Amino acid sequence: MTPEELANVIRHALISAASEQTISLNEADIPQVVKVERPRNRDHGDWATNVAMQLAKKAGMAPRDFAQVLAGMLVEHDGIDSVDIAGPGFINIRLGAASAGQLAQTIVDEGASYGMNQTMAGTHINLEYVSANPTGPVHLGGARWAAVGDSLARLMVASGAQVTREYYFNDHGSQIDRFSRSLYARAMGQEAPEDGYGGQYIAEIADQVRADAAQAGDADPVTLPEEDAVEVFRARGVELMFAQIKERLHDFRSDFDVFFHEDSLHESGAVSRAIERLRERGEVFDEDGAVWLRTTTYGDDKDRVLIKSDGQAAYFAGDVAYYLDKRQRGADVAIYLLGADHHGYIGRMMAMCEAFGDTPGDNMQILIGQMVNLVKNGQPVRMSKRAGTIVTLDDLVEAVGVDAARYSLVRVSMDSNVDIDLDLLTQHTNENPVYYVQYAHARTRNVARNAAEHGVRREDGFDPSQLNTSADAELLGALAQFPAQIAQAAQLREPHRVARYLESLAATYHAWYGVNRVTPRGDDPVDAGHVARLWLNDAVTQVLATGLGLLGVAAPERM
């Protein structure tokens, strides 16, 4: 019996009690989902609920009296062994071995669909992440968002949402100008502009622009007048840089549905249309020759310029048009994953959302991520060999591989700084968290191979009552929590919860492996217990593989 099935049993008992007037409740008072949890002290049972304390007042009863009535009904259920009442009205439930053990077959039969849910069904989410400017390689902060954003998208899809993964391509600003002039300076053998970009990658791209021109039969850009040359380096250099970014992200298993160009907002008139929409709503005013959005109405510390007095659009005007565009493309929720340096943007963005008549925190959600630091030999790694001034995604992947890089970036809450120890992540020890989880999966596959060699086969049937040891119960309880972990991680936007769950499951499995056998000893015959535990072993295989897949991490067959 899964926690969800037990919750339904409890709910139906409540409905029956209300119908029979054993408890004075209206069916409308009974929650659609009854919460069940693992008790902290496992001596208290397999599962616990506080529903009696939630509903007792409405029923005009003391919580313990309410719990007593409900417990009497639950204990009659075939899959429940015992029901106890603790404290002010907690109901502790112990399942029968057969009822608890049936979960192993459920997981194996459902395969990769076990844990999937519909808690976010009917919601279209536009999830924007990374969105690094195409002026250099993806840095560590962008790498964190690639891992977190992609994992979050997978979790929300697993919870029934329609998700558009989006990358905002900032190709309309001064940074692109500085990038273009840096390429030109490098090609001319000059020092980069004071506010320009350095690093080996600038030389590589500048050389490629010139090589492409030669191959196409065009003039070498360095022979052109400076402004013409800079424009060549801008057009082709940005294209090359962005192609490289997309390739690196793809190799990092982070792909996007939409690459949205900021320039298109200005070229298509979207900025003007968004401002006009806000003006119609009475949120825009003109002052000192500029056009302003009255964001102070919605809690911002000052009003924001949309069109400057020289007629040029302010950067914020692009943000306004972009949000409206997302909503017009069908997004119910626009989620932005931003770095710590964007914390100051939250107030104006939420005010803009409300100015459009939307609900901040609902239609617009902004997640702020903290810094990533690399450590090697106990010392910070500060510079990239290729980028010069920053540590990049490439540097991290080269050092530890995609699996360890993604896992280490996801397993820490995004609102916390994360220190990545390169020495630890290259070790094949239990202290390395990604190795620990992947090794658990590889161990389950090795157990299955050994079982086949010893003639233990799932096809020989399944007797769930054979899963009767305390280690079996612990492992089944851990597996039962997987669906709730997925739903919670998606709802709270916290994919690190899945990583920590997998580490806990791996620990429980390793402990189970140490005390239970799937294969017989010596010449002993295969019995129903061996077969049942093969089912349980393979259930762990499935949950570990699914969980790692949701984080974009491989589940190896052997290690």
Side-chain angles (χ1 to χ4, degrees):
M1 184 185 298
T2 67
E4 292 74 23
E5 290 169 340
L6 177 58
N8 284 331
V9 168
I10 297 171
R11 186 170 188 274
H12 287 129
L14 289 166
I15 291 172
S16 295
S19 175
E20 297 166 6
Q21 297 186 337
T22 310
I23 295 175
S24 297
L25 278 179
N26 296 317
E27 187 170 336
D29 295 326
I30 299 170
Q32 289 295 315
V33 178
V34 175
K35 187 176 182 181
V36 296
E37 299 178 301
R38 293 285 273 181
R40 292 183 180 179
N41 185 343
R42 286 301 316 286
D43 291 337
H44 292 166
D46 297 313
W47 300 100
T49 179
N50 65 350
V51 71
M53 292 184 287
Q54 290 178 328
L55 299 179
K57 186 175 181 180
K58 289 182 180 179
M61 301 174 68
R64 282 188 66 92
D65 293 339
F66 187 109
Q68 194 67 53
V69 173
L70 184 57
M73 301 179 71
L74 293 176
V75 79
E76 297 298 321
H77 192 278
D78 288 343
I80 294 176
D81 256 10
S82 64
V83 182
D84 297 314
I85 301 167
F90 287 103
I91 299 175
N92 294 320
I93 301 167
R94 191 176 301 279
L95 302 179
S99 178
Q102 191 61 46
L103 177 64
Q105 185 174 30
T106 297
I107 294 172
V108 173
D109 288 347
E110 291 187 7
S113 65
Y114 176 70
M116 306 299 107
N117 64 87
Q118 293 297 305
T119 57
M120 299 177 70
T123 303
H124 181 185
I125 296 172
N126 181 291
L127 179 63
E128 182 205 332
Y129 54 103
V130 183
S131 296
N133 292 325
T135 55
V138 177
H139 57 70
L140 272 187
R144 187 178 196 182
W145 283 131
V148 171
D150 179 70
S151 299
L152 182 55
R154 295 176 190 229
L155 285 164
M156 292 190 297
V157 169
S159 298
Q162 176 188 347
V163 179
T164 298
R165 299 164 170 86
E166 188 149 312
Y167 188 115
Y168 186 58
F169 180 11
N170 185 342
D171 53 355
H172 184 87
S174 59
Q175 290 180 327
I176 297 297
D177 295 334
R178 296 200 299 271
F179 175 67
S180 307
R181 293 193 175 279
S182 299
L183 293 174
Y184 173 74
R186 191 61 177 257
M188 297 295 291
Q190 302 169 358
E191 290 294 322
E194 186 176 342
D195 58 352
Y197 297 92
Q200 181 60 31
Y201 78 96
I202 291 291
E204 293 169 1
I205 293 175
D207 290 345
Q208 188 62 50
V209 171
R210 297 180 68 187
D212 290 348
Q215 186 173 5
D218 297 332
D220 188 334
V222 300
T223 66
L224 300 173
E226 181 174 336
E227 290 307 311
D228 293 341
V230 169
E231 188 54 39
V232 172
F233 281 110
R234 176 199 303 275
R236 183 59 180 148
V238 168
E239 184 180 331
L240 288 168
M241 188 73 256
F242 197 55
Q244 186 180 112
I245 289 171
K246 287 196 281 188
E247 180 183 359
R248 296 295 191 273
L249 290 171
H250 172 74
D251 292 343
F252 200 54
R253 304 172 194 148
S254 185
D255 292 306
F256 293 83
D257 303 304
V258 174
F259 289 96
F260 192 97
H261 290 252
E262 182 188 6
D263 241 357
S264 69
L265 294 170
H266 299 271
E267 294 173 359
S268 68
V271 170
S272 298
R273 290 193 297 273
I275 293 173
E276 187 57 33
R277 169 77 70 89
L278 290 167
R279 190 182 291 278
E280 291 170 357
R281 292 182 55 83
E283 306 291 356
V284 166
F285 66 96
D286 301 299
E287 187 173 285
D288 298 329
V291 179
W292 300 72
L293 179 62
R294 193 175 283 106
T295 53
T296 52
T297 302
Y298 304 107
D300 195 10
D301 58 349
K302 62 181 179 180
D303 295 325
R304 302 291 171 174
V305 175
L306 296 174
I307 304 296
K308 295 181 285 189
S309 58
D310 63 2
Q312 296 296 309
Y315 186 84
F316 186 52
D319 292 332
V320 169
Y322 185 39
Y323 173 71
L324 181 60
D325 185 87
K326 290 184 181 190
R327 295 284 279 130
Q328 291 178 332
R329 281 186 278 137
D332 304 305
V333 182
I335 301 178
Y336 298 76
L337 274 61
L338 304 176
D341 57 338
H342 287 78
H343 195 277
Y345 284 74
I346 295 177
R348 75 192 71 172
M349 292 289 285
M350 291 301 182
M352 173 259 286
C353 168
E354 198 164 0
F356 276 120
D358 287 345
T359 304
D362 185 357
N363 300 110
M364 176 186 284
Q365 299 173 17
I366 297 177
L367 307 179
I368 297 292
Q370 297 302 319
M371 300 294 292
V372 182
N373 303 302
L374 286 192
V375 177
K376 185 172 179 61
N377 299 324
Q379 299 297 319
V381 178
R382 300 194 181 280
M383 290 177 55
S384 168
K385 293 178 182 177
R386 182 164 177 268
T389 57
I390 57 172
V391 181
T392 69
L393 167 62
D394 286 355
D395 297 320
L396 178 58
V397 170
E398 182 180 350
V400 301
V402 173
D403 285 338
R406 282 191 62 122
Y407 191 92
S408 60
L409 289 167
V410 170
R411 75 181 293 266
V412 177
S413 174
M414 65 182 77
D415 59 7
S416 299
N417 289 341
V418 55
D419 291 326
I420 297 179
D421 188 331
L422 298 180
D423 299 312
L424 175 64
L425 290 180
T426 55
Q427 293 176 11
H428 289 183
T429 67
N430 289 343
E431 285 69 37
N432 178 352
V434 65
Y435 175 83
Y436 187 66
V437 175
Q438 287 184 314
Y439 177 67
H441 180 271
R443 173 174 268 183
T444 67
R445 300 304 297 134
N446 187 56
V447 166
R449 288 189 292 269
N450 287 340
E453 292 175 3
H454 286 80
V456 182
R457 305 181 309 162
R458 291 206 314 259
E459 293 80 359
D460 290 338
F462 177 59
D463 179 0
S465 67
Q466 295 291 322
L467 300 177
N468 52 18
T469 70
S470 60
D472 293 330
E474 285 293 327
L475 189 51
L476 287 163
L479 292 170
Q481 296 175 70
F482 185 53
Q485 291 290 335
I486 293 177
Q488 190 174 51
Q491 289 284 353
L492 297 177
R493 320 305 193 221
E494 294 181 343
H496 72 276
R497 290 174 175 269
V498 174
R500 296 311 176 103
Y501 165 80
L502 293 175
E503 291 166 33
S504 176
L505 175 60
T508 305
Y509 174 76
H510 290 312
W512 175 85
Y513 175 88
V515 297
N516 281 319
R517 293 191 62 83
V518 175
T519 56
R521 297 180 184 276
D523 295 327
D524 291 348
V526 173
D527 61 29
H530 298 127
V531 177
R533 290 189 175 88
L534 176 60
W535 279 89
L536 181 53
N537 177 83
D538 292 355
V540 176
T541 302
Q542 183 60 66
V543 170
L544 288 172
T546 301
L548 286 168
L550 289 170
L551 302 181
V553 177
E557 293 284 308
R558 291 179 169 84
M559 288 182 72

